[in-house]
Each structure stands twice: as structure tokens, then as C-alpha cells.
Amino acid sequence: MSADPDRHANSTSHVPDDLNTSPDTMPPVPRPTCRELAVAFGTVGATGFGGVLPWARRMVVDQRRWLNDREFAELLPLAQLLPGPNVANIATILGRRFRGPRGAFAAVAGLYFCPTIVIILIGFAYARWGQTPLVQHLLSGLMPAATGLVIATSLRLLGALERHWSTLTFAAATFIGSFVLGLPLLIVLGVLGPCAIVAAYRSARLQRPAP
């Protein structure tokens, strides 16, 4: 008796769903509670030495999976446009998205609780021992690690961008305007932001299949 070829093809071509799931299409996770938001961002604030943004991205994307790489890359420019620290704006936006005003308050309160206590204690210590050679060498040694964290986060964000000439053009123009020319970030984003939005909208319309 010969085997059914259709059945054989279906059985051999079946791949488990978890193997087909990419990092950008992970199944949705349950909405975090206010306590979970406070603890998560509190951990970021307590351990985010050398700049909190790399640690916030690692917590939100890699550990908690509240956002994927692309969603975080799209959220970051909005956080930069708003007044205040970038990570505090991210905490406010995510807390508001998941649990409303209470979630926003919990996330921001958790983010600043530990750093506030640590900064007060460090301020007293620095006023007494800040000018000693040991402390100066310690601070100098932390600078390369902080720089490496910022570079690593930038590369991860670049990897999440769409591979298109317009994306690279606007990224390069933003870098030149803010870093090379030293223009204020608000002016750079205010000029290039609307142009990038229009370019992305036109690109999406061109890629949309015809009905």
C-alpha cells in the first residue's frame, strides 16, 4: 500500500509555531501591574550606572518583552521630543499605556526612588572625599564603560530600523546636525522629524499592495 503523498508532505513541512516566532513577533505578554512597573523601573534606576537608557532598553525589550526592538526605536524619538529625561518619558508613556495615570506614576516613582537616595549619599561622600586621587581614578575608569553602553544601545536601535535609503539619510543628517554642527536637538528634530514622517508615509503607501 502506498503512502498518501499529500499527508506525507504536510507532516514533513509542519514546523512548530515557536520556531517560526521571531523576536519582533513575540506573542503578547500580560499587562504589568502598577507594582510590576514600579519594581521594573526601580531596578533600572538602581542598576543603571553609566546612563539609564541601555538598561531601560534591556529591561523593556529583552527581559520583560513589553516592546520589541522596532517599537522601542519608535518610542525613543517621542521621548526625546518631550521635555524631561528620556527614560522618565519612556516610563511615563509605558505606565500610562498599561495602567493609566496610576501606572505612569508608579513607573516614574520606581525609576527615581533608588537614584534619589543614592545621589544624596554620594553627594555627602563626594563633598568629603571627591578630590582624592582614588576617587578621581575611579570616575575616570567608569567613563569607557559608560561610553560602551551608549554605543551598544545605539547599534541595537540602528539594527531595528527599516533598511531603506531614506532611513539612513535621516539618521546621518540627525547625527551631523546634532553632533558635528552642534545644533540644538529640538531644532534638528523639529526640521528633520516632519520630513522623516512624510518620507515614511510615502514609502508605506508605495509598498502597500494595490487592491
Side-chain angles (χ1 to χ4, degrees), residues 87-144:
V87 179
N89 293 336
I90 291 175
T92 303
I93 295 171
L94 288 182
R96 176 66 178 82
R97 176 187 299 182
F98 291 130
R99 292 294 171 180
R102 292 179 57 192
F105 176 81
V108 175
L111 178 67
Y112 282 113
F113 178 75
C114 288
T116 301
I117 297 176
V118 171
I119 286 298
I120 293 174
L121 297 178
I122 290 179
F124 285 114
Y126 188 82
R128 183 170 183 178
W129 299 294
Q131 302 304 319
T132 61
L134 177 61
V135 175
Q136 293 297 320
H137 293 157
L138 177 63
L139 295 177
S140 299
L142 291 176
M143 291 179 62

Side-chain angles (χ1 to χ4, degrees), residues 146-162:
T147 304
L149 287 174
V150 174
I151 294 175
T153 303
S154 301
L155 293 177
R156 293 294 297 269
L157 293 175
L158 286 174
L161 295 177
E162 183 181 0

Side-chain angles (χ1 to χ4, degrees), residues 47-111:
T47 60
F49 297 99
V52 185
L53 182 59
W55 302 92
R57 188 219 150 273
R58 181 171 179 267
M59 182 274 292
V60 172
V61 177
D62 296 335
Q63 296 178 344
R64 302 283 180 163
R65 299 188 184 277
W66 291 340
L67 300 176
N68 56 41
D69 274 319
R70 184 178 182 85
E71 290 171 338
F72 188 86
E74 293 173 348
L75 177 63
L76 183 58
L78 176 60
Q80 291 176 328
L81 282 174
L82 297 175
N86 298 338
V87 179
N89 293 336
I90 291 175
T92 303
I93 295 171
L94 288 182
R96 176 66 178 82
R97 176 187 299 182
F98 291 130
R99 292 294 171 180
R102 292 179 57 192
F105 176 81
V108 175
L111 178 67

Side-chain angles (χ1 to χ4, degrees), residues 33-45 59 64 66 106-107 110:
T33 63
C34 291
R35 180 179 178 275
E36 290 172 340
L37 287 168
V39 171
F41 280 99
T43 303
V44 170
M59 182 274 292
R64 302 283 180 163
W66 291 340

